[in-house]
Amino acid sequence: MKQIKNNKQFISFLFVGALNTVFGYSMYALFIFLGLKYPVAVLFSTILGVLFNFKTIGVLVFKNGDNRLILRFFAVYAIIYVLNVAGLALLKSAGSQNMYINGLILVLPLALLSFFLNKKFVFERGTNEDIGSQQRL
């Protein structure tokens, strides 16, 4: 039964993730188009993404709308931000100067990492341990 829940959860994450990715990448591409350097473009798109994604992922994927989890969610996205900027720098130093394509190359691996981190450190853990124990008090 848990495997079925995990499969449905992951499939939901993919659909919601597609929406969130379109939003986040559109913001990134807009900021690059506006002439911002890629670390700043990633930072702004990540901040906007955190605000947009928190409710869509929490409610639609993990069935948890607890606003107290926002700091954990933000921490996950801080990790994703650092890895994104490092990946973009690595691709650029390897000779790939098209920052639009470089951003697209990193979307899937970072999305998978985001799912894992959100599942393990934000929503599952928060739902089962912290919030449950707080409700019993």
Side-chain angles (χ1 to χ4, degrees), residues 122-134:
V122 179
F123 295 105
E124 287 287 317
R125 186 170 155 226
T127 300
N128 296 334
E129 293 174 11
D130 297 338
I131 295 167
S133 64
Q134 289 175 7

Side-chain angles (χ1 to χ4, degrees), residues 1-2 6 12 21 23 29-32 34 43-44 48 51 54 63 66 68 72 96 106 111 127 129:
M1 190 68 159
K2 186 174 181 177
N6 287 340
S12 294
T21 298
F23 177 81
L30 174 66
F31 294 136
I32 291 291
L34 293 174
L43 176 64
F44 288 166
L48 292 174
L51 298 174
F54 179 66
K63 308 297 184 226
D66 188 343
R68 294 175 293 178
R72 289 185 192 171
S96 179
L106 294 172
T127 300
E129 293 174 11

Side-chain angles (χ1 to χ4, degrees), residues 27-58:
M27 294 295 98
Y28 166 77
L30 174 66
F31 294 136
I32 291 291
F33 177 76
L34 293 174
L36 297 178
K37 302 276 187 197
Y38 71 86
V40 178
V42 172
L43 176 64
F44 288 166
S45 64
T46 300
I47 290 169
L48 292 174
V50 166
L51 298 174
F52 184 80
N53 299 354
F54 179 66
K55 284 299 182 183
T56 59
I57 290 173

